């Protein structure tokens, strides 16, 4: 399988999960960080189940999830054709079964709308366009601050859930009220997991999960701390042991112990 949208010298091949996942990414466009890896680590899927990721980019989350839990059927939706093609390539190269559709979250392709999934996950753009300076690269800008409203992401995600299926979002902490409001209208059994950069710091990221037809009370899980020490360390990223295992070995990241 070839990647035709990007020239070879425009791409890098990067290791994730300590080399268990090999991911091709644009050298100068949007490049995956730890966020999609963390999102994938929270999914409590089982072999034989289906997983859909909205806005999957080059499919880092799907690849990481598929390596951690063999036997899944992985699907993605990506707006940008070049990234959608990369996502399909990366699934194939990492031995995963699945399909990446090119299309808009606000108007998904018919093939996707005809299906329902055990899990739907998403790492939507974190920023509102009117509140930031645009990135120089168009692909990176769409990934960071897309035009589609967060509520539309939630609506599309929850429509694609099977009965009792789970939807999980990762998002910046300041957008939690907006995200929670949208999810409360459509799913139940909400669970919130804040991620703290360090001890004593406010959360930068949150994970929010809900279940279709869920009836359980809301759960606010204790925050999990990503880095040791009070300040950033130049040599090494100083992740806590739990997050080191997630990022380097593909361990899961449960909402609760």
């Amino acid at each position: 399988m070839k990647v035709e949208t990007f020239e070879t010298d425009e791409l890098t091949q990067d290791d994730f999960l300590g080399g268990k996942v090999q991911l091709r990414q644009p050298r100068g466009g949007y490049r995956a960080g730890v966020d999609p890896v963390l999102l994938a680590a929270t999914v409590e899927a089982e072999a034989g189940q289906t997983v859909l990721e909205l806005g999957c980019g080059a499919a880092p989350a799907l690849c990481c999830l598929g390596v951690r839990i063999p036997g899944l059927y992985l699907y993605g939706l990506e707006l940008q054709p070049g990234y959608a093609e990369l996502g399909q390539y990366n699934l194939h190269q990492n031995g995963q079964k699945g399909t990446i559709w090119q299309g808009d979250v606000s108007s998904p392709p018919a093939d996707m709308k005809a299906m329902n999934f055990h899990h739907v996950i998403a790492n939507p753009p974190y920023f509102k366009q009117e509140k930031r300076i645009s990135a120089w690269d168009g692909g990176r800008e769409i990934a960071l601050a897309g035009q589609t409203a967060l509520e539309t992401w939630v609506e599309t995600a929850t429509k694609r859930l099977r009965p009792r299926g789970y939807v999980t979002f990762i998002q910046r902490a300041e957008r939690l009220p907006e995200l929670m409001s949208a999810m409360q209208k459509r799913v139940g059994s909400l669970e919130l997991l804040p991620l703290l950069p360090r001890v004593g710091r406010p959360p930068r990221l949150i994970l929010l999960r809900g279940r279709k037809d869920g009836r359980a009370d809301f759960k606010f899980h204790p925050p999990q701390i990503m880095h040791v020490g009070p300040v950033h360390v130049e040599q090494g990223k100083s992740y806590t042991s739990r997050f080191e295992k997630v990022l380097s070995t593909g361990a899961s990241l449960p909402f609760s112990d």
Side-chain angles (χ1 to χ4, degrees):
M1 181 178 180
K2 295 182 178 179
V3 178
E4 298 178 354
T5 309
F6 292 96
E7 298 293 336
T8 302
D9 61 1
E10 295 178 312
L11 298 172
T12 63
Q13 183 157 304
D14 304 296
D15 290 347
F16 285 74
L17 307 187
K20 293 180 180 179
V21 170
Q22 299 287 319
L23 197 76
R24 282 207 167 181
Q25 305 188 90
R27 189 182 301 277
Y30 175 75
R31 296 175 60 79
V34 301
D35 301 4
V37 183
L38 299 178
L39 174 62
T42 67
V43 180
E44 298 176 0
E46 299 176 1
Q49 290 187 334
T50 54
V51 181
L52 168 67
E53 182 182 11
L54 301 181
C56 66
L62 291 174
C63 289
C64 290
L65 177 58
V67 166
R68 180 169 66 86
I69 307 174
L72 298 176
Y73 296 89
L74 304 171
Y75 298 85
L77 178 66
E78 171 53 40
L79 176 63
Q80 303 182 77
Y83 287 83
E85 186 184 11
L86 273 179
Q88 189 68 65
Y89 174 89
N90 286 328
L91 283 183
H92 177 78
Q93 289 300 107
N94 286 281
Q96 303 303 315
K97 297 178 181 179
T99 299
I100 306 297
W101 293 292
Q102 190 275 319
D104 194 327
V105 169
S106 63
S107 182
D111 287 351
M112 192 188 100
K113 292 171 69 175
M115 296 180 65
N116 294 107
F117 303 86
H118 294 91
H119 297 268
V120 180
I121 62 175
N123 179 19
Y126 287 162
F127 304 99
K128 295 183 178 180
Q129 285 186 319
E130 68 273 15
K131 293 188 177 182
R132 65 186 304 276
I133 299 174
S134 298
W136 65 271
D137 179 84
R140 178 175 171 79
E141 176 60 21
I142 290 174
L144 293 175
Q147 296 181 349
T148 304
L150 192 53
E151 182 154 356
T152 302
W153 285 77
V154 174
E155 180 180 12
T156 299
T158 53
K159 281 183 176 180
R160 300 276 59 82
L161 283 177
R162 293 166 59 106
R164 307 293 289 171
Y166 288 94
V167 57
T168 308
F169 278 78
I170 189 169
Q171 185 55 250
R172 286 182 67 89
E174 58 264 34
R175 299 193 72 181
L176 173 60
E178 182 183 358
L179 178 61
M180 182 171 285
S181 175
M183 288 184 67
Q184 283 179 319
K185 297 175 185 176
R186 298 172 177 88
V187 290
S189 303
L190 292 185
E191 298 182 67
L192 172 65
L193 175 61
L195 302 181
L196 276 59
R198 300 179 189 281
V199 173
R201 299 284 185 87
R204 184 182 72 87
L205 295 174
I206 56 92
L207 286 144
L208 188 63
R209 178 168 68 196
R211 192 173 195 184
K212 189 169 186 177
D213 304 319
R215 298 180 182 274
D217 291 337
F218 170 65
K219 293 182 180 179
F220 193 143
H221 293 283
Q224 296 196 25
I225 300 167
M226 295 183 62
H227 295 275
V228 298
V231 295
H232 176 70
V233 178
E234 290 296 336
Q235 299 299 322
K237 296 185 177 180
S238 64
Y239 286 108
T240 59
S241 59
R242 166 167 286 184
F243 283 89
E244 182 64 33
K245 291 176 182 177
V246 169
L247 298 172
S248 297
T249 71
S252 64
L253 181 64
F255 269 54
S256 59
D257 293 324

